[in-house]
Amino acid sequence: MKRIGIVGGGPAALFLYKRIIENSGAPVYVAIFEKKDRLGTGMPYSREGAGKEHVTNVSGNEIPQLVTSISDWINNCPPQLLQEFDMDPAMFNEFKVLPRLLFGEYLAAQFKLLQHAAKQAGIKTKMYYNTVVADIVYDAGSSETTVFTATGSKYEFDDVVICTGHCWPKQYEHSIRRWYDSPYPPAKLQQPVNFPVAIKGASLTAIDAIRTLARQNGTFSKQDNGMYTYSVNKASEGFSLALHSIKGLLPGIRFHLDDTHLSQGRALTPGQINSIKDKHNGFVPLDYIFEQHFKQPLREKNAAFFERIAGMNLEEFVEAMMAMREALDPFTLFKAEYREAEKSIRNQQSVYWKEMLAELSYEMNYPAKHFSAEDMLRLKKVLMPLIAIVIAFVPQSSARELIALHEAGVLRIVPVEADSEVVPVQEGGCLYRYTDEAGEQRQMYYKMFINAVGQPAFMFSDFPFPSLATAAIISPAQLKFQSVESARAQIEQGNLNIVRLTPHDHYLQVPGININDHFQVVNKFGEVTASLYIMAVPYIAGLNPDYSGLDFCETASERIAQAMFIKDSAEHAAA
């Protein structure tokens, strides 16, 4: 019986477990190690990452297929659960977003249904709840991988998949009062505040913090037109929020998607990637992906917009889109995009260039590990800032709350540059140092600071299972430079992540672990450990620029299952 160990029991493990059931074709033993007492929810959909005030940024029809649809589950789940979230099944439709904790209940229910399906398929499953994995050891001689728990127990497997999910490291949170290295768990922000609060970032993570603090210090009221007003509590009269955003930009708002499942078959296959590399000196060019997976699909969807950008290269396109955003006051643009999104949803008509940008972000995720170092630097500097803003897909209810807070004088945007600095203050809070739009140096003291830039990408040295690094089973993620001159230019500019192997071979070290197209770990000699996989998002971010979300879980789990069971079929045939 094939033995598979899954480290972590959140959404990534849920989709992987589903793939194992679908692809095993033979008796399999699966062990799942989860540090909490529940499977399926992970951090984002549990109390670790959400309160009752937080909602998903995807609707029911955008969720990849599991056992039952969200609509069917809503109509059959316990009434008391729906009452807890003020959910009326008669008012629910698949185009609506959900409370995140309620969605976590759905994912947990799907895991239970999959356990039943696994049993029916002859798959034996063992759950290890409240179990922390301390280390993982791979034996090259036996090709077995051993999982060691924090209590000293050990378990041996033929294949191990690391699905440890989100991780929020603590820097100053335990030593500096009112300094929060992330907004999670949100319960820590449920406090009265009578002074301005500094928030770093303007992502969905920042909006999570805003939704929690706003409810603790005031009240939203719905108007006849569906918009909100906001009133500050008397005890919190000094409460305000300063959102420090690069160039003062706010994230884009959810609109109607014509294609609700990005993961349905458009990502480049390993064979297609190899064919492109053969034609481009061993690399997948970023410009090729931009032309073929953004501009050409856009030609069919919105010919007028395509004609407008047809002659633009990547840099020119991003500059044009950013200039349009930077020219307007942030909230003037935000309100205009809210109206555009409302019209898009009402008419069920997409904003096509934004939808194509979301598809581009998803589709370049897999060939990105085959980019040159030069193209990865371009991607991070040029394209990703635009993608991060436009496809944030802020839910309409969150947009209405931000507008209400701004109109009440509670929420303001502070434009900063990427080199802004936040310094902890011993008595509590922070000094925020930044350059303003006029080029003047500014320094502001805040009694409370929240870092809300989102999930950090970890470097190789942060990997949590030391034996794999000590035995050189894993290696740092890196990309080769096409030209020595480009590498030398980066060195001269002070880039400390350039690795020189020979006078003619330079590499850019990027965050995380080196993996192949099937998420198998790769050592520094390019050798694959075929039975060890990683889809833990903070540790593969360097080679997977757009690595979050359920679409990622669906596609990554499919590629892992293909490798896992195709490998077994080949070995069986050879035997």
Side-chain angles (χ1 to χ4, degrees):
M1 182 175 282
K2 182 179 180 64
R3 303 162 300 167
I4 301 172
I6 302 175
V7 180
L14 171 65
F15 279 92
L16 178 63
Y17 189 45
K18 175 176 178 282
R19 297 292 189 186
I20 291 170
I21 295 168
E22 292 171 344
N23 290 276
S24 64
V28 171
Y29 167 72
V30 179
I32 302 175
F33 300 88
E34 170 53 44
K35 65 181 180 181
K36 302 194 297 292
D37 60 0
R38 204 158 190 229
L39 297 173
T41 61
M43 187 285 294
Y45 309 111
S46 69
R47 295 283 177 186
E48 282 186 282
K52 290 183 70 172
E53 67 273 18
H54 297 127
V55 295
T56 62
N57 71 327
V58 294
S59 56
N61 65 321
E62 296 167 14
I63 297 165
Q65 183 179 357
L66 286 165
V67 183
T68 60
S69 71
I70 193 76
S71 296
D72 288 344
W73 181 78
I74 288 286
N75 285 312
N76 291 283
C77 71
Q80 61 269 26
L81 180 60
L82 297 179
Q83 290 169 9
E84 182 183 348
F85 293 96
D86 298 320
M87 175 70 70
D88 180 357
M91 299 298 293
F92 176 78
N93 67 67
E94 63 178 5
F95 295 99
K96 289 189 175 182
V97 298
L98 292 162
R100 284 222 299 267
L101 291 178
L102 180 61
F103 186 61
E105 296 289 339
Y106 165 74
L107 294 177
Q110 298 303 295
F111 226 127
K112 289 181 180 178
L113 291 171
L114 284 173
Q115 286 176 257
H116 177 72
K119 188 175 182 180
Q120 295 294 106
I123 295 172
K124 182 181 178 182
T125 307
K126 175 70 174 177
M127 307 297 184
Y128 293 91
Y129 296 103
N130 301 306
T131 301
V132 174
V133 172
D135 205 358
I136 298 172
V137 175
Y138 175 74
D139 183 343
S142 65
S143 296
E144 287 186 337
T145 302
T146 304
V147 170
F148 291 85
T149 68
T151 57
S153 299
K154 65 178 184 177
Y155 306 88
E156 294 176 343
F157 300 99
D158 302 301
D159 291 285
V160 167
V161 187
I162 300 169
C163 301
T164 47
H166 290 280
C167 180
W168 304 92
K170 297 290 189 289
Q171 185 179 16
Y172 297 114
E173 187 165 313
H174 295 313
S175 58
I176 302 295
R177 291 178 62 234
R178 296 187 300 272
W179 174 293
Y180 299 101
D181 290 310
S182 79
Y184 308 118
K188 68 188 179 187
L189 301 182
Q190 293 174 352
Q191 54 182 287
V193 174
N194 196 26
F195 43 76
V197 176
I199 298 178
K200 181 180 181 180
S203 64
L204 294 172
T205 304
I207 292 174
D208 278 354
I210 290 169
R211 288 186 74 120
T212 300
L213 283 168
R215 280 163 175 74
Q216 294 301 309
N217 294 280
T219 305
F220 289 101
S221 300
K222 194 171 185 177
Q223 300 174 285
D224 292 339
N225 63 359
M227 301 300 286
Y228 301 151
T229 58
Y230 183 77
S231 301
V232 178
N233 295 339
K234 198 166 187 66
S236 303
E237 289 180 346
F239 169 64
S240 67
L241 298 164
L243 200 61
H244 295 75
S245 168
I246 293 179
K247 300 187 183 300
L249 297 173
L250 283 168
I253 301 172
R254 272 181 53 82
F255 54 89
H256 173 78
L257 292 173
D258 271 1
D259 193 339
T260 56
H261 295 289
L262 297 177
S263 58
Q264 296 300 312
R266 278 184 305 278
L268 288 170
T269 66
Q272 291 171 323
I273 289 171
N274 288 333
S275 177
I276 296 168
K277 289 170 66 176
D278 288 343
K279 298 173 184 175
H280 296 92
N281 299 316
F283 298 98
V284 173
L286 176 59
D287 290 328
Y288 174 90
I289 299 295
F290 179 64
E291 287 289 333
Q292 297 300 316
H293 293 270
F294 177 71
K295 289 174 74 173
Q296 293 309 314
L298 190 59
R299 181 201 294 265
E300 300 176 14
K301 296 284 188 178
N302 189 333
F305 190 87
F306 171 78
E307 289 301 324
R308 177 181 161 193
I309 67 163
M312 296 182 182
N313 62 26
L314 175 65
E315 281 76 7
E316 291 166 343
F317 167 74
V318 172
E319 183 179 356
M321 296 301 102
M322 282 295 201
M324 180 178 66
R325 302 186 76 84
E326 293 171 13
L328 293 173
D329 169 79
F331 272 98
T332 299
L333 175 62
F334 195 69
K335 292 174 184 178
E337 290 200 324
Y338 174 80
R339 292 190 294 270
E340 177 188 55
E342 286 286 282
K343 181 180 177 182
S344 167
I345 292 169
R346 186 170 57 251
N347 297 336
Q348 295 190 15
Q349 184 175 10
S350 178
V351 183
Y352 287 113
W353 79 269
K354 294 181 180 180
E355 180 167 345
M356 294 300 103
L357 195 63
E359 291 195 10
L360 171 66
S361 179
Y362 174 80
E363 290 170 16
M364 74 180 177
N365 202 34
Y366 301 96
K369 64 178 66 65
H370 304 283
F371 287 172
S372 66
E374 291 93 336
D375 273 349
M376 181 59 78
L377 289 167
R378 288 175 66 210
L379 174 67
K380 293 295 181 73
K381 180 181 178 181
V382 179
L383 185 57
M384 288 308 295
L386 177 65
I387 286 175
I389 291 167
V390 171
I391 68 167
F393 293 164
V394 174
Q396 272 65 37
S397 62
S398 294
R400 289 192 289 269
E401 290 184 9
L402 265 62
I403 291 169
L405 288 165
H406 177 68
E407 292 180 343
V410 173
L411 176 64
R412 65 188 179 95
I413 302 295
V414 181
V416 298
E417 297 299 324
D419 60 355
S420 61
E421 183 183 16
V422 189
V423 181
V425 176
Q426 197 58 46
E427 58 267 27
C430 75
L431 285 176
Y432 217 121
R433 296 170 179 163
Y434 62 95
T435 304
D436 67 15
E437 293 178 296
E440 298 291 328
Q441 298 295 313
R442 300 287 182 184
Q443 177 173 287
M444 293 288 295
Y445 171 67
Y446 294 92
K447 289 185 178 180
M448 184 171 175
F449 168 73
I450 304 168
N451 187 341
V453 296
Q455 171 66 64
F458 296 145
M459 297 304 289
F460 176 79
S461 57
D462 299 312
F463 193 68
F465 306 119
S467 292
L468 293 176
T470 302
I473 302 300
I474 59 173
S475 63
Q478 56 187 24
L479 297 167
K480 188 176 181 179
F481 279 90
Q482 280 188 292
S483 81
V484 175
E485 290 75 19
S486 297
R488 289 173 179 166
Q490 286 294 313
I491 293 171
E492 290 173 4
Q493 293 170 24
N495 191 331
L496 301 178
N497 294 315
I498 311 302
V499 179
R500 177 186 170 185
L501 296 186
T502 74
H504 302 289
D505 292 318
H506 291 71
Y507 290 79
L508 172 70
Q509 187 163 315
V510 295
I513 306 303
N514 194 10
I515 57 173
N516 68 6
D517 289 319
H518 290 286
F519 297 86
Q520 294 158 313
V521 300
V522 181
N523 68 18
K524 65 179 182 180
F525 302 109
E527 298 165 340
V528 175
T529 300
S531 56
L532 187 59
Y533 305 80
I534 178 166
M535 56 186 293
V537 294
Y539 302 106
I540 57 173
L543 299 179
N544 288 261
D546 181 11
Y547 54 80
S548 61
L550 299 180
D551 283 315
F552 166 80
C553 293
E554 185 182 41
T555 300
S557 63
E558 179 183 27
R559 296 198 172 190
I560 290 171
Q562 285 174 351
M564 193 179 286
F565 295 107
I566 289 172
K567 175 192 69 177
D568 289 346
S569 297
E571 290 174 355
H572 178 73

